[in-house]
Amino acid sequence: MTADSSQASKVGSPTELDLTELVARHQATVWRYLRALGAEAALADDLTQDTFLEVMRRPFQQYSDAATASYLRRVAHNLFISKRRRETRMTVTEHAEQFESAWMRWAGFESGNVTLDALADCLTRITDRARQALNMRFGQGSSRRDISDALGISEHGAKNLMQRAKTQLRECVEAKLK
Amino acid sequence: MNEQFEQQVFDSFLEEAITGHGPPDLTARIQAAWEKEQSEATTDTKPLVVAEIVAKKDVSSGVAARSINGKSKNGKAFPDPAATVSQAATQQAGASTVGDSTSGANAESAPSGVKVPTTTERLRQATAVGEIGGGISQRRTVVAMLLAVSAAILLIVLGWQTMFVDGMGPSLVNDHPPQPELTNDQGERLGGRERDIAQHDRPEVSSLENQGPTSSDPGEGSLELNLDNLPFDSPQVAGPSSANPRANDRQVLPQRLEGDAVVAELDEQLSQLWRQVGVSPTRTLDDAALAEKMFTTLVASEQNEFKWADDRELNRLRFATYLTSQRGFASKWSDRITRQWLKRSSLPLDSEPVQELRSSLAAEIVASKPWNEIVLDVLGAELGESSDTSAENVFISALAGGGNHRLLKRVGFNFMNANLACIRCHDDASQKAEGVTARQETYWTLVALLNGVDARGNFASGGRQVTDKQPALFGGKNEPVAYYDLLNGRLKSASARMPGGESWKSKGADTPRKALAVWLSNSELADTAIVNQTWKSLFGRPLVLPVGGVDVVAEDARKRMLTFLTGQFRAHDRDLKSLVGWMVASEAFARSDLQLEHSQWLAANDDELQRIQITERVFGAANSLGRSAEASNLEQSVAALIKWSSGGTSGSALGQLDHRSVPKKSRRVGSELQMPSMSFAVHGETHLNSEEEFVKRLMNSTRLSWEQRVEHIVALSEHGNANGRIQQLAKELLRENDGDRQATLLDLLWAVQNSDARG
């Protein structure tokens, strides 16, 4: 993208579509959004690609990064739903707005990097046991039973431990994002 | 549901933070896929055709003719077209060389004895189809080419929509139906604005079932959002029940009548309504009973009590005026309004900001502040970029957040006389839907107008924190839009414009939210809303239901009453006390209750029960809805239904009096049959035809799941929410109804009406 068009984009006037620039600016957002929707990593890769191809087939004029990102997320959402429909005949479109709202709460107009930085810092502040439980749960996909065995607590205790830890992390991240 | 999504999103970030598996760089992959797609798109069969034609030219030079199966008529295979092309190219080169130079090497490549045409001659021959030697096969080729081109054009025109109906992806098109040719009575073609007006009078064609793909400009290859062509650019003319929101209200005021005349006219219209429907109103309360009812409704509290002297004659309007001038009325009524606005919001009704709002409203009622100024204050409050909840911003603070859908629903009921939940997903399917509040576009325009307004819990203080980022978002040229899904899966966008279509900046406000507040405060919609809601406060149901098609009993007559009252309300400077006084002094308020004994109920057939029901619905009897204990909220109403259904049989000692084939919902307690509450006995056992039709439409829709049907019913409620608990109760009720879905939805409809009547 030329410097002129980049400048135009920054001041908000409509710009022509440049694939490389578009992907560079928004692929992280789209990929993370798809993962948040529930897509596995490989599916998120595929649908991210499909999202950008889709918008390139039907060029639109960009008014702002925020509007473009919102549009891309909606395209990604629809592609995800179509995929799920073909697999399981599930209809979830009525929750698209709510999901978008939930996304905006955590990622805002960014790609999520700020949230992740905040989360990384907040993870250092929870107890070692809580961190271990979350690592096993999210990092290794361990069952609650495995976690409870590893920590020497009941399954119910493991659930409570992770619940409290996540609540602390949310509050910590929210405070940082303010 | 929003909490669940927030947790889901947070968990995904947490997983990435823990595992370190972030988004890969897909740039090269996407670029390669795009380039491949582009190159495949540009590949076509023209060279093949040229080669074929060149080969045919060679026929005349002695090469065998080409047949369909690729073999010559003499059975020999044709040369590969590519080879033919290269041969032709060689020949061309040879020809040009022969023509251009005396190079020996090139001259040798030309077959001897054959006149090799020049490049120009070959191309002319290749393209001059008519000049190519005759033959059916050549004409077939030409015809095939023409057919292929026509088919491609047809596919572009027609096939576009088919791809996206199957959900292969969204399309961002400037969707609106093609403009038909419209003429006036003189047969003259209508111009733009006249056409808009005439089109607006046409009935809505969409329904739950028939929402097909909207047409799009077939020639539109670009998906540029041309905001100038969106329907809201054209001023929308509202239907008969609402005025043009841009009209100066001073110019459309009806003649102001004195209070006595307003009540007299209201009573006259009520009499006509009862005659039209053919019901006999219940007996009029005597003076003492009526005075006590007025007192209890308007001012009663723990600190005061009422005593009516038997020898006094009650002048209803005078007494009502007296009561509404009391401080107790302002206090009681501000409590009702606050509850109506904020019930089941994110702030407890006993929280400090809500109590402050209540006090401030009471003071404004005492001071007879025009209601539209109160609307302006409530919706247009200063929020700051981030502020704690206060009495000034509590309406927004308590309801905003989560996409602002809950806020919009309350705005709809209280300030637009509309159930906006209906048009969130589709145009209002009611045949009698009119005005801007019937269109899905309106809903999303309102969402866009509230873009940047948010509120969330303040964990530290336990209250709420409201944020307003509109000055930043809307400060420049590019304003955020709201994207929404049409029923056919397409994506559309809505910009921040007034429901009437004009720019928000035309309202002189510095943010869209404030512009909306200004627009609403001057709109007849807000006046109609307060009249309807006040009626509902007094009589248990609104004068006209904000959703069309559900309760249509003498709907036109009731709409006329609503219009009349709204007009007088505006003419009386939007004085709430006057409005309440008229209603309380009317014949409708003076009706006694309908009494129905258990045996009478069991013995009554459908027609008799419906007669009783209609009498209440047209305010010929005091409303039984909302007066029982289970009406305190929706969950309790549904739980009561389950209780009655689980014990219901017709095998009682009184069974021989039961003329109905379906057992009524009684519950056996010991040897006694316990009758359900009066409201259910009257309104739950039988239903209006229009209610049954409404439920049948939901049942007939193939798009909707059971949960979505439940959501549609619950969406009729002002405060109800089809959350997990309600869905669970609905499933339980379905089991108690032996899987009868229609009966269950009708039961839920009663639960909604019952809990809403309580307020």
Side-chain angles (χ1 to χ4, degrees), chain A residues 39-59:
Chain A
E40 303 81 21
L43 180 62
D45 291 353
D46 291 343
L47 292 182
T48 300
Q49 173 181 308
D50 290 346
T51 298
F52 286 102
L53 292 182
E54 187 62 38
V55 299
M56 286 303 294
R57 288 181 199 122
R58 306 183 192 301

Side-chain angles (χ1 to χ4, degrees), chain A residues 45-102:
Chain A
D45 291 353
D46 291 343
L47 292 182
T48 300
Q49 173 181 308
D50 290 346
T51 298
F52 286 102
L53 292 182
E54 187 62 38
V55 299
M56 286 303 294
R57 288 181 199 122
R58 306 183 192 301
F60 66 102
Q61 291 194 335
Q62 302 184 71
Y63 290 89
S64 69
D65 261 359
T68 300
S70 178
Y71 175 47
L72 286 168
R73 284 196 300 273
R74 184 55 70 93
V75 172
H77 191 284
N78 283 355
L79 287 173
F80 178 73
I81 287 167
S82 301
K83 175 85 176 142
R84 282 289 188 252
R85 271 186 193 147
R86 284 195 289 273
E87 290 169 354
T88 65
R89 300 180 189 281
M90 191 171 68
T91 309
V92 293
T93 50
E94 67 274 13
H95 301 306
E97 276 302 312
Q98 291 182 20
F99 195 87
E100 172 73 8
S101 170

Side-chain angles (χ1 to χ4, degrees), chain B residues 191-350:
Chain B
R193 178 175 163 77
E194 293 159 322
R195 188 170 62 236
D196 287 338
I197 294 169
Q199 276 206 307
H200 190 82
D201 287 343
R202 288 161 66 197
E204 292 292 332
V205 295
S206 64
S207 70
L208 289 173
E209 279 305 301
N210 297 326
Q211 183 82 31
T214 56
S215 63
S216 61
D217 183 353
E220 193 174 337
S222 164
L223 287 170
E224 176 189 356
L225 284 180
N226 187 348
L227 300 181
D228 290 338
N229 276 341
L230 285 179
F232 279 140
D233 267 0
S234 306
Q236 300 296 323
V237 176
S241 66
S242 57
N244 183 343
R246 293 185 297 172
N248 185 328
D249 61 345
R250 295 276 175 210
Q251 296 173 350
V252 298
L253 281 179
Q255 181 191 357
R256 176 189 161 121
L257 301 175
E258 291 307 313
D260 287 342
V262 173
V263 175
E265 174 59 25
L266 185 57
D267 287 344
E268 176 56 32
Q269 291 197 22
L270 279 165
S271 297
Q272 287 177 12
L273 171 63
W274 295 331
R275 278 198 298 274
Q276 175 190 334
V277 178
V279 299
S280 301
T282 55
R283 67 173 181 82
T284 307
L285 291 171
D286 59 41
D287 283 355
L290 181 56
E292 184 172 352
K293 184 178 176 183
M294 291 166 80
F295 179 86
T296 305
T297 304
L298 298 182
V299 299
S301 69
E302 291 171 357
Q303 284 79 37
N304 52 25
E305 60 177 58
F306 175 76
K307 201 168 180 185
W308 182 260
D310 287 337
D311 57 351
R312 287 170 65 179
E313 188 179 336
L314 177 66
N315 180 311
R316 295 180 193 174
L317 183 60
R318 195 175 298 170
F319 189 55
T321 305
Y322 166 73
L323 289 175
T324 55
S325 67
Q326 302 303 304
R327 176 78 200 183
F329 166 75
S331 178
K332 198 172 176 88
W333 215 256
S334 68
D335 181 63
R336 281 197 187 198
I337 292 172
T338 311
R339 191 174 297 274
Q340 197 170 287
W341 285 353
L342 300 178
K343 186 176 175 183
R344 301 191 77 147
S345 69
S346 296
L347 278 175
L349 289 173
D350 59 358

